[in-house]
Amino acid sequence: PMRAPLPPPPMAPQNGGPVPELSLSALEADPTLGWPSTPPQAHTISHKISRISGVHRIIWTVDAGKLRNHERQAVSPSFELPLASLATSRLVIFPRPNTDGKGSASFKKSGGCGSVHLKCEASGGSVSFLVAISDGTTGFAKKPRGPVMHNFADHSTCGLPKDQEQWDFGKAVNQATQTFSVCLDILPCRQ
């Protein structure tokens, strides 16, 4: 897996000013956080940092074929999470558990539905984030969920609250590229 090398990222806007209040519409309107102009290849990570808000956007492009097989998880390439220092992290998607409780869950059995989790190798540090799924184009209506605040000293993996965690990944599949994207927006620390 390829790793995206990054310099230590700022947790406030690069202009040194205060962190602006963030809204979902402001995040989508931020030109520095736009989606790639050409469809990325499957199993890649894109990492952008907003010069306006300090938000880090990590986009994982996933092969939609995973939704049609019996895998029990899919793991992204590693990326650096901006905590007090950079921390190696990955996104992981899990299929929705079987409703009958029989057998192990798989993406095929779940009909392409599942949850997104953030796994970090750091033994501490807090993060606030939003999660969305997309077909990887600017025209797809993304509906971010969160924000979630998590301290990795408590647990190395986190996700959305139970009532928000299930996604229908199949609805986000780009038919031309046979991929879908998982978007993680890391919100700047308020100081």
Side-chain angles (χ1 to χ4, degrees), residues 169-188:
F169 298 120
K171 288 185 177 180
V173 172
N174 182 317
Q175 295 305 312
T177 63
Q178 285 299 296
T179 60
F180 65 96
S181 297
V182 176
C183 177
L184 175 71
D185 284 338
I186 305 295
L187 307 177

Side-chain angles (χ1 to χ4, degrees), residues 5 13 44-45 49 58 73 75 77 81 117 119 136 141 146 152-153 155 161 185:
T44 58
I45 287 283
I49 304 169
I58 290 110
Q73 70 177 18
V75 181
L81 191 64
H117 299 263
K119 181 167 180 56
F152 290 106
H155 200 277
D185 284 338

Side-chain angles (χ1 to χ4, degrees), residues 123-137:
S123 58
S126 293
V127 68
S128 181
F129 63 90
L130 300 165
V131 176
I133 62 171
S134 169
D135 70 353
T137 65

